[in-house]
Amino acid sequence: VAVVPNPAYSEASVIYTLAQPTALEMDLIDMSGRIVRQQSIPSQIPGIYEAKFDVSSLNAGVYMIHIKTEQGTVTQKVVVSK
């Protein structure tokens, strides 16, 4: 999993690889633990994918992206700059 660009200014792209068909949930969480953006992605075949988050209206700071699948959870840090 990679987040680009990091720091992000208007949009952050999450690039991820699936080894088997699976659906996933992505949450963008601020440092107080509040979910500020959320995406549900239906089941996809194995491959490399990109999901985008609009961060233009968020305050500058550090956020965490949680990616949840049936196989587990991955967390990645993203910095939002203005």
Side-chain angles (χ1 to χ4, degrees):
V1 174
V3 179
V4 292
N6 200 358
Y9 296 91
S10 61
E11 186 175 78
S13 293
V14 180
I15 300 168
Y16 59 96
T17 302
L18 297 178
Q20 59 190 23
T22 190
L24 54 101
E25 296 278 333
M26 287 191 196
D27 298 329
L28 183 62
I29 301 171
D30 66 15
M31 293 312 287
S32 67
R34 186 174 51 120
I35 297 173
V36 295
R37 298 280 184 279
Q38 193 169 40
Q39 287 189 34
S40 294
I41 299 173
S43 188
Q44 298 173 308
I45 62 171
I48 299 171
Y49 295 92
E50 178 180 9
K52 296 182 184 232
F53 280 99
D54 177 5
V55 298
S56 61
S57 64
L58 298 178
N59 292 328
V62 177
Y63 296 80
M64 303 304 281
I65 295 178
H66 291 276
I67 302 169
K68 297 176 273 191
T69 70
E70 294 174 357
Q71 291 74 40
T73 302
V74 174
T75 302
Q76 188 74 26
K77 180 174 81 170
V78 61
V79 176
V80 174
S81 294
K82 296 294 173 179

